[in-house]
Amino acid sequence: MTDSAPKTSTRPASVLFGLLAVIPALVLLISGYVVPTVRTVLASFTDVDMLREDADPVGLDNYSATFSDFAGSLVWPLVFAALVTLTAVGAGGTLAYLAARAGRAGRWTARIAFALPMAALAGSGTALAWVIAFDEPGGLNPLLAQYLTFFGLVIGLGATAYLLVFRRSTRPRDAVPGVLLVTGVVAASSLAIGLQSFGFPYLLGRLPDGPRYASPSVLIFDNAYRTFRVGVASADAVLLWLVLGVLGIGVALWLILARARVVTADQPTSETAPAGNAGWRVAASVVTGGLLLLGLAGLTPWLLSSMSFDTEAVGGNVLTHLSYTWLPPLISTVVGVLGAALAGYGIGALRPLGDRSELLLLPFAPWLFVGLAGLAPDAWMHRAEDGSEFLFLIPPASLTIPVLFGSALLFRGVRWTLALPVVGLAGLLTWVVQAQDTLWPLIAGFQPDSAPMQVVVMQAITSFRYTGGDGGIPTGWLYPLPVCLLVAAAIGAVQVLVLDRLALRTGRTTDADAAGTAAPAEDLATGR
């Protein structure tokens, strides 16, 4: 009994159920992405604002008014993307290669070591920690602070991605196609994250020297919610979507043309097993320890601020604020991840179009990297009249398209019993990221007694700085350290027990993909 995926089936039942499995995701795509994008495009040609209902057409005036600011806002995201890509490829890739050559001990050490940095997804908490550390706004480049904070996360993700390649083989002939594919995905993802970064550039203030805006997300927020020019903000959102759409379509086509899939890792025989000798183990341990220390150093401001649990500074019932921080994103995550995983199973496992089933990913590709930044103005305009603040706090566009793509690759090559823990971990991390988002809580959390913790902490900082308040700053409630440690434990467990048994393949499907070679009991017993 193996953990490999079944062979491709073209039976009518597989075709029917495979197509049916994609329908919920398509509904979520249309309602959460396509319709808002169309409305945003239409609004970008009008002078609509939040202070009046009527809007007159203005042609390309909005684009002319904002194009220079938008172009300037691309500068630092490009720098950030270059830094992240070089870090993930250079440091993460090197660590993955050394760990792969060191054998199981090296791989497990690298995977477990970076579980905590990978769990530290507290976007709002980490940004606010730097705000507290630097009393003067603008005293630190916001994206540099973001890079330093997530240095360990980048290393961990990069090592995880490249280990999928090197679990197949460390020989250049076998590894190069996978390395190039992973590098392309890392570069596109880094640029998309930089373009949509909001918490760090917004909370740390505008750059003292350089472009007026450090990211398009801050530009959109300013035009929509500070000057109420929704038409101009919509033009910014359309320009942002065009860039992200090109990235998404490019990555999707590369994955399809490369015939990428995740399979169970081949178990080498005694004649071909990597040596995993002491030299490789020592090298892997030294590199792992050095990079981990750098990653933890970048997290120092957040780790120190996470000890502050001043309940009096919260200004209300702590449980109420926590529930409005974590429960609305949980609803969005459950709906979005379930829809994405179901579609991924339909495409990857049931194969309704046979070997061309991955073409079903193309309708989702233009929104693969689209986050809240470009969707927020439209969401505000069409959800502002909802009576419940709790419902309003549910992030718009719940479908988690990256999970859909990842699920399709997973279910294509491994059985659902092995793929589900990875999908579950992706759902957990999606929930944490959404619960730690700064943009939507700042827009939707307007009730003082039930505002998300991000808003509460920002108000406490404002009171401390500008009104002479003597209360504490309850940063520990944003992403409590015990919760972070639980997330880290989940990451470490899935890394060691599941991801370490998987490999990335490209090219034509082989018999090994269908037959499988890695029995879990044998894998744990042989020590390879």
Side-chain angles (χ1 to χ4, degrees):
M1 185 67 178
T2 67
D3 290 299
S4 62
K7 294 183 178 180
T8 299
S9 173
T10 56
R11 292 179 299 175
S14 296
V15 175
L16 175 62
F17 287 110
L19 293 176
L20 288 177
V22 180
I23 290 178
L26 284 174
V27 172
L28 292 174
L29 174 72
I30 293 172
S31 62
Y33 291 92
V34 178
V35 171
T37 300
V38 171
R39 289 194 302 227
T40 300
V41 171
L42 295 177
S44 70
F45 295 105
T46 71
D47 61 355
V48 61
D49 59 44
M50 293 185 180
L51 302 180
R52 62 189 181 92
E53 297 180 358
D54 298 331
D56 299 321
V58 295
L60 296 174
D61 289 353
N62 291 330
Y63 291 91
S64 300
T66 195
F67 186 79
S68 61
D69 278 340
F70 182 84
S73 71
L74 301 179
V75 174
W76 280 111
L78 288 171
V79 175
F80 176 77
L83 288 173
V84 170
T85 302
L86 290 174
T87 302
V89 175
T94 300
L95 175 60
Y97 180 80
L98 294 174
R101 293 303 303 265
R104 171 180 289 183
R107 298 195 311 269
W108 282 25
T109 299
R111 292 182 183 279
I112 294 173
F114 287 90
L116 178 59
M118 292 176 68
L121 298 166
S124 56
T126 50
L128 287 166
W130 284 102
V131 172
I132 297 170
F134 285 79
D135 292 333
E136 295 296 329
L140 180 68
N141 184 294
L143 293 183
L144 176 60
Q146 185 176 16
Y147 171 74
L148 294 175
T149 299
F150 296 128
F151 180 85
L153 170 65
V154 171
I155 299 295
L157 290 176
T160 299
Y162 286 106
L163 272 172
L164 288 174
V165 178
F166 296 133
R167 279 296 279 135
R168 180 193 177 194
S169 175
T170 56
R171 293 180 299 180
R173 182 185 64 183
D174 297 327
V176 165
V179 167
L180 292 177
L181 176 60
V182 169
T183 301
V185 174
V186 167
S189 302
S190 301
L191 180 55
I193 292 171
L195 290 170
Q196 298 175 94
S197 295
F198 178 79
F200 278 84
Y202 175 80
L203 294 173
L204 290 176
R206 293 191 175 97
L207 297 175
D209 297 307
R212 182 182 178 189
Y213 294 99
S215 76
S217 298
V218 179
L219 175 62
I220 293 171
F221 181 86
D222 271 11
N223 284 327
Y225 306 105
R226 285 180 172 172
T227 63
F228 304 110
R229 298 182 300 167
V230 178
V232 177
S234 297
D236 294 319
V238 171
L239 294 173
L240 176 61
W241 173 71
L242 290 175
V243 177
L244 297 174
V246 171
L247 292 176
I249 293 172
V251 167
L253 290 175
W254 198 346
L255 291 172
I256 293 171
L257 294 176
R259 299 180 181 179
R261 68 268 185 201
V262 177
V263 299
T264 48
D266 294 338
Q267 293 304 299
T269 64
S270 58
E271 293 81 9
T272 62
N277 58 36
W280 287 111
R281 288 196 294 270
V282 170
S285 298
V286 170
V287 172
T288 299
L291 292 175
L292 179 60
L293 287 177
L294 292 175
L296 294 177
L299 288 173
T300 299
W302 173 69
L303 291 172
L304 293 177
S305 67
S306 65
M307 306 299 177
S308 176
F309 292 94
D310 192 328
T311 56
E312 294 183 1
V314 172
N317 190 306
V318 173
L319 292 179
T320 301
H321 291 291
L322 287 175
S323 64
Y324 274 70
T325 302
W326 291 92
L327 292 184
L330 177 60
I331 296 173
S332 175
T333 298
V334 170
V335 173
V337 171
L338 284 179
L342 183 62
Y345 182 80
I347 295 171
L350 299 180
R351 316 293 293 163
L353 303 183
D355 290 338
R356 295 182 175 85
S357 294
E358 278 74 19
L359 293 176
L360 292 172
L361 295 173
L362 288 178
F364 303 92
W367 293 273
L368 172 60
F369 294 116
V370 173
L372 286 175
L375 302 172
D378 177 81
W380 171 270
M381 294 294 290
H382 292 88
R383 296 175 61 182
E385 295 183 359
D386 290 351
S388 170
E389 185 199 5
F390 182 87
L391 295 178
F392 192 28
L393 279 169
I394 298 175
S398 61
L399 180 65
T400 315
I401 300 179
V403 172
L404 192 158
F405 274 66
S407 298
L409 299 183
L410 270 171
F411 288 119
R412 175 69 180 95
V414 300
R415 290 189 184 278
W416 65 271
T417 52
L418 197 58
L420 277 186
V422 182
V423 175
L425 179 61
L428 174 63
L429 297 182
T430 300
W431 181 28
V432 173
V433 170
Q434 291 192 3
Q436 294 302 306
D437 175 55
T438 306
L439 176 59
W440 192 248
L442 191 62
I443 295 171
F446 45 81
Q447 296 295 336
D449 293 335
S450 57
M453 277 295 175
Q454 296 92 318
V455 179
V456 173
V457 174
M458 282 188 279
Q459 290 173 344
I461 292 176
T462 301
S463 175
F464 181 80
R465 279 185 169 174
Y466 301 110
T467 65
D470 56 0
I473 302 175
T475 48
W477 292 112
L478 281 166
Y479 186 20
L481 190 57
V483 177
C484 180
L485 294 176
L486 288 175
V487 175
I491 292 174
V494 174
Q495 283 268 21
V496 168
L497 299 178
V498 181
L499 287 172
D500 195 57
R501 294 158 58 189
L502 303 179
L504 177 68
R505 285 187 179 271
T506 57
R508 292 193 308 170
T509 303
T510 64
D511 292 339
D513 293 338
T517 55
E522 177 187 359
D523 186 28
L524 292 174
T526 59
R528 289 190 290 266

